[in-house]
Amino acid sequence: MTVITDLYPSRGTGEVVVPRQDPVVWGAPDTPGPVSTADLQAYERDGFLTVDRIVGDDEVAVCRQELERLVADPAVRADPRSVREPKSQEIRSVFEVHRISEVFARLVRDERVVGRARQILGSDVYVHQSRINVKPGFGAGGFYWHSDFETWHAEDGLPNMRTVSVSIALTENHDTNGGLMIMPGSHRTFLGCAGATPRDNYKKSLRMQDAGTPSDEALTALADRHGIRLFTGRAGSATWFDCNCMHGSGDNITPFPRSNVFIVFNSVENAAVEPFAAPVRRPEYIGARDFTPVR
């Protein structure tokens, strides 16, 4: 039996700060692909990369129509893959959307999308997680500050930081409607959070995160060191970001909706093992156990 060293301890009695032990860009600098050398260097430095128009207006319209269809479908609403807002009970997210919808499955396979993931991670990739996020106006809740890798390592068993996420905007991202915020450069420091992981933590954390949440003091220190970048852009734009970026988003109290499709690509060479700091695995629609490469 192979013993895997835990490079990133978390969920203990106190917070732990660990320098990143893994590369940021795993592919060779001259690897052919849609990301330029300059953009790869910026991604390595900042932990994120923006693409002004990754899909066109016609494609955005098809994706938005599909999002609206899924959210209105009673079968989808009743499916455990749908997560609802705590107060309004409106759909907040629908997970494993690339398996529910052929529209989003095609988007995952699109070379403009998966090609960038392969280039950054330096290998074939599979989908660790996919979802649509629905943030209608007038009160949709935000996502508190967190590192995705902290959760994926602790609760899903991803051994290394060889994972990249892309958020593709399906509505315009204003500076007022609950957009994505990232601390540039925070991906180079792992913050192991304090407190044990409750059993079936995902049932609460997908609505309102508790376990895996950094302290105010740690967040203040990171923000003082790195600052905060708020992402805006038209529908069809995309933000790629490293799995260990400290990020979050605020509530949307404007009349303007903010919806996106969110895809997490993991290297096939970084397949999930048993959770590092949780009593049981999360369901496969949240943390995949099918490591088949995207083709």
Side-chain angles (χ1 to χ4, degrees):
M1 179 177 173
T2 303
V3 177
I4 298 177
T5 302
D6 184 358
L7 298 175
Y8 303 105
S10 191
R11 311 288 174 96
T13 55
E15 285 184 319
V16 179
V17 177
V18 178
R20 185 187 185 103
Q21 305 295 303
D22 296 304
V24 178
V25 175
W26 291 73
D30 57 351
T31 301
V35 187
S36 69
T37 300
D39 281 346
L40 281 175
Q41 291 171 342
Y43 178 86
E44 183 162 9
R45 180 190 67 234
D46 298 329
F48 59 80
L49 170 67
T50 58
V51 180
D52 181 57
R53 180 55 62 95
I54 200 167
V55 293
D57 292 342
D58 291 346
E59 296 166 295
V60 169
V62 170
C63 289
R64 283 180 62 174
Q65 185 177 35
E66 180 70 349
L67 179 148
E68 291 164 5
R69 182 190 71 80
L70 290 170
V71 170
D73 186 338
V76 173
R77 293 180 66 85
D79 194 295
R81 288 174 286 193
S82 293
V83 178
R84 300 193 180 199
E85 291 282 354
K87 294 181 180 179
S88 69
Q89 291 300 302
E90 292 300 314
I91 286 184
R92 176 187 180 97
S93 302
V94 179
F95 280 80
E96 212 172 40
V97 71
H98 71 295
R99 296 192 182 277
I100 296 174
S101 163
E102 179 55 31
V103 169
F104 292 114
R106 287 197 303 268
L107 186 63
V108 164
R109 297 191 300 265
D110 192 309
E111 194 61 26
R112 293 170 295 179
V113 177
V114 70
R116 284 179 165 87
R118 292 193 192 105
Q119 196 176 357
I120 291 168
L121 300 180
S123 69
D124 280 331
V125 297
Y126 70 93
V127 176
H128 176 70
Q129 185 186 103
S130 73
R131 66 180 187 259
I132 48 173
N133 292 324
V134 185
K135 237 183 181 183
F138 300 117
F143 292 86
Y144 197 68
W145 290 105
H146 64 286
S147 155
D148 286 328
F149 179 75
E150 193 279 338
T151 296
W152 298 337
H153 182 70
E155 299 186 38
D156 296 338
L158 295 192
N160 296 96
M161 295 179 183
R162 199 170 179 179
T163 314
V164 63
S165 302
V166 59
S167 174
I168 302 175
L170 301 182
T171 54
E172 185 165 356
N173 284 254
H174 303 284
D175 58 3
T176 52
N177 64 342
L180 175 67
M181 296 181 288
I182 292 179
M183 297 184 188
S186 60
H187 63 303
R188 293 195 171 278
T189 302
F190 175 75
L191 180 61
C193 298
T197 309
R199 192 178 184 88
D200 293 337
N201 179 54
Y202 72 94
K203 292 180 179 179
K204 179 181 179 183
S205 67
L206 298 179
R207 293 172 173 84
M208 187 174 296
Q209 191 154 345
D210 187 9
T213 302
S215 68
D216 290 352
E217 293 78 11
L219 288 171
T220 300
L222 283 172
D224 284 345
R225 186 181 313 133
H226 300 293
I228 296 173
R229 166 81 180 271
L230 169 66
F231 293 89
T232 59
R234 56 186 175 174
S237 62
T239 304
W240 292 84
F241 59 102
D242 180 82
C243 57
N244 191 46
C245 283
M246 190 61 67
H247 67 287
S249 64
D251 295 350
N252 182 13
I253 61 172
T254 75
F256 310 115
R258 176 184 170 263
S259 298
N260 68 296
V261 55
F262 182 77
I263 307 162
V264 180
F265 292 103
N266 188 39
S267 169
V268 296
E269 299 171 14
N270 189 45
V273 294
E274 290 305 309
F276 286 87
V280 293
R281 302 173 180 176
R282 297 195 298 176
E284 292 194 26
Y285 63 82
I286 300 174
R289 295 282 159 172
D290 180 352
F291 311 131
T292 304
V294 175
R295 296 284 187 241

